[in-house]
Every structure is written in C-alpha cells, then in structure tokens.
Amino acid sequence: MIILTTVVVLVVIGAIGSLLLFLAAKKFEVKEDLRIGQVAEVLPQANCGGCGFPGCSGFASACAKADSLDGLFCPVGGADVMNKVADILGMSAGAADPMVAVVRCNGDCEARPRTNTYDGAMSCAIAAALYSGETGCSYGCLGCGDCVAACNFGAIHMNPETGLPEVDEEKCTACGACVKACPKHIIELRKKGPKSRRIFVSCVNKDKGGVAKKACTNACIGCSKCLKECKFEAITIENNLSYIDWQKCRLCRSCVEVCPTHAIHELNFPPRKPKPEVPAAKPEATTAPVAQEATIPQA
C-alpha cells in the first residue's frame, strides 16, 4: 500500500511539473521568423561585417524585421543576392551603386624616401601607435600590410616595388574590412564608376604645401588649381588637402591635367588623344626696296 501511494504521489508531482513547464514554455515562447533562416541561406556567409551588422545572421534578422530594404545591402552578394532576399520577404530591393576600395596614398619609394627604419612588430596598428612612420610624411601608408591581412577575399596586396597596397577591383567586394584595418585612414570606399572609371586625390597629407612637397613629391599641396578648373563643384579643399566628391564628379579629367604634383589619379580611362599641334606662324615676307637707277644728265 505504501509503495502504491508513493507511485501515485510521484505521478501526480510529475504531471503537475510537466504542466507547469508547458505553461511556462508557452508564456515565454520566443517566436522566430522562419524567413530569417531562408534569407540566411541565400547570403554568402562571408560574415565580413560590410553590411553594418555582426555577420550574415544579424543581417538576415535585420532584413526580416525591416519594413523596407532601403539602406540594407550585402556588398559581397551584390544586387543578385539582394534580389533573392527581396523575393523571400516580398519587398523590392533598393538600388545601390557598386563600390570599391581605393588607396589614397601615392607616396612610393622614390617620391617618399625613408628617413629611418622601423624594427618592430610588422603591424600598421602597432607602428602607428609608436611613431609617425619611416618617412617624412606622417600621413602616408606604413606598409606593414594590415589591410592585406584583413581582406578575406584576396583583393588587396602589397606592391614590393612601390611599398604601397594595391586593390584588385575584380575581387574587391567593398566590405570595408581594409578601411577599418588602416590606422592612417588612407583607404576609402568609392563608387566604382561607369566602366570602372574613377578620379580621386591619392593623398591624405594635411600639411602645408611646402612641407608636404618636401616629404613626398607626389603629395597634394593645396594649390587650388584643380578647384578652379572643376566646373561641377566636385572639388573642395580643407586643411591644405583637395578632395573629389564622387557623387558630383563628371569624370571630365580636367583636374587631372592641371595638378602639378600628379596627386590626382584617373583609373581605367582610355589613353588621351594627342593635342593637335598648333602650326607655327609663318614669318611675314619682307620686300626689299627697289633701288632706283640714277640718271646721268647728258652734256
């Protein structure tokens, strides 16, 4: 009898406990949107953070919760992936201009000679925290390759001849990892441009013209020639440094021609047509005075 009573009590306690757990689960149930998993499946799973969210799962959750996809874009997947996301969510994908990373430093080994040698950990972040760099320009590339290590797509590498990073625009996804990794802020995301044509000032030196030119012969000296030449108000000068707004630039290349230090770069443009030679003015023909014959009076 005691055993039977014990069994009944245990069964009752178990039933009550199960009922309480069931009610608690219903009370605190977190309903997950099934579309989040569907969106995550079409994302590239690069987890680069270029979308502004912590990984692809965070981006998928943000898309599913949003009322519109405006301002939401996966730089790795591009328009194709965003169209798939829009189909899943029953929305329209917002248009976004393709972007690409641009290196805004033109101080190669010839233009920016070394003044000292860095003998420490090969990290731009560490070098920048210790001193201004191996050259007279305290704004330029440190050359340790933090941007290369940060890129998950093999889209950037160091050129051993120039000592500067170079971007492979075919591989670049504009995730922004290299931009965040550079302590000198010389890498910028810019519009890829029609036919991948871009014009930008490849310099971030804010020193006065004479100081900047002494440190690097390719530096922007803030002479304002490009500002005066631009007819579209795409160029501004602040802190002795020119900057081209890619949203206003019409790619006319007029500013490139007038830059005395060649700090303004043009990429993927066709070769310029040679300017027609102006024929030299012909010297005016001079007519010598005709000598008059002297008449001798006859006797």
Side-chain angles (χ1 to χ4, degrees):
M1 186 66 180
I2 297 176
I3 297 176
L4 181 60
T5 303
T6 305
V7 172
V8 171
V9 171
L10 292 176
V11 170
V12 172
I13 293 174
I16 294 174
S18 301
L19 179 60
L20 292 176
L21 291 174
F22 175 77
L23 294 175
K26 287 295 182 181
K27 176 70 175 179
F28 301 103
E29 180 183 8
V30 178
K31 295 182 179 180
E32 182 178 356
D33 193 340
L34 297 179
R35 300 178 303 171
I36 296 177
Q38 296 174 357
V39 171
E41 288 181 359
V42 302
L43 295 177
Q45 299 302 322
N47 296 314
C48 60
C51 57
F53 295 90
C56 292
S57 60
F59 180 69
S61 178
C63 290
K65 295 177 181 178
D67 297 328
S68 171
L69 292 179
D70 293 339
L72 296 171
F73 187 76
C74 173
V76 179
D80 294 337
V81 168
M82 291 309 301
N83 288 331
K84 295 178 181 179
V85 173
D87 292 339
I88 294 172
L89 301 177
M91 303 179 185
S92 58
D97 294 321
M99 306 288 283
V100 67
V102 167
V103 178
R104 294 187 57 208
C105 180
N106 193 28
D108 55 26
C109 298
E110 295 182 0
R112 191 169 52 122
R114 290 184 177 182
T115 58
N116 60 85
T117 301
Y118 173 67
D119 186 15
M122 288 302 293
S123 167
C124 296
I126 296 176
L130 296 176
Y131 76 138
S132 60
E134 294 181 330
T135 68
C137 177
S138 61
Y139 296 90
C141 176
L142 294 169
C144 297
D146 283 18
C147 53
V148 178
C151 182
N152 294 325
F153 307 97
I156 190 167
H157 66 277
M158 299 298 297
N159 187 322
E161 296 182 0
T162 62
L164 297 173
E166 293 182 352
V167 177
D168 185 344
E169 61 184 61
E170 298 299 326
K171 296 180 180 180
C172 180
T173 61
C175 68
C178 57
V179 178
K180 298 176 183 178
C182 179
K184 293 293 186 177
H185 309 291
I186 67 168
I187 304 180
E188 177 189 9
L189 293 181
R190 294 180 70 89
K191 181 182 177 181
K192 201 167 187 179
K195 298 182 180 180
S196 295
R197 295 174 181 174
R198 298 178 295 284
I199 296 176
F200 60 95
V201 179
S202 185
C203 181
V204 294
N205 194 323
K206 297 179 181 179
D207 290 330
K208 292 184 178 181
V211 178
K213 185 69 179 294
K214 184 177 180 180
C216 177
T217 56
N218 293 338
C220 173
I221 56 176
C223 63
S224 301
K225 289 185 177 181
C226 56
L227 175 66
K228 297 175 182 178
E229 187 69 20
C230 183
K231 300 177 182 178
F232 308 104
E233 299 182 351
I235 299 179
T236 55
I237 296 181
E238 185 177 355
N239 296 326
N240 308 304
L241 179 65
S242 296
Y243 182 79
I244 299 177
D245 186 347
W246 56 266
Q247 294 180 320
K248 296 180 179 179
C249 180
R250 302 292 182 86
L251 304 178
C252 67
R253 298 196 285 176
S254 297
C255 57
V256 181
E257 295 180 331
V258 299
C259 181
T261 60
H262 308 289
I264 303 179
H265 284 197
E266 53 180 359
L267 297 183
N268 303 320
F269 284 86
R272 294 177 181 269
K273 295 181 180 179
K275 295 181 179 180
E277 296 182 359
V278 180
K282 295 182 179 180
E284 296 182 359
T286 57
T287 56
V290 179
Q292 296 181 354
E293 296 181 358
T295 57
I296 301 175
Q298 295 181 356

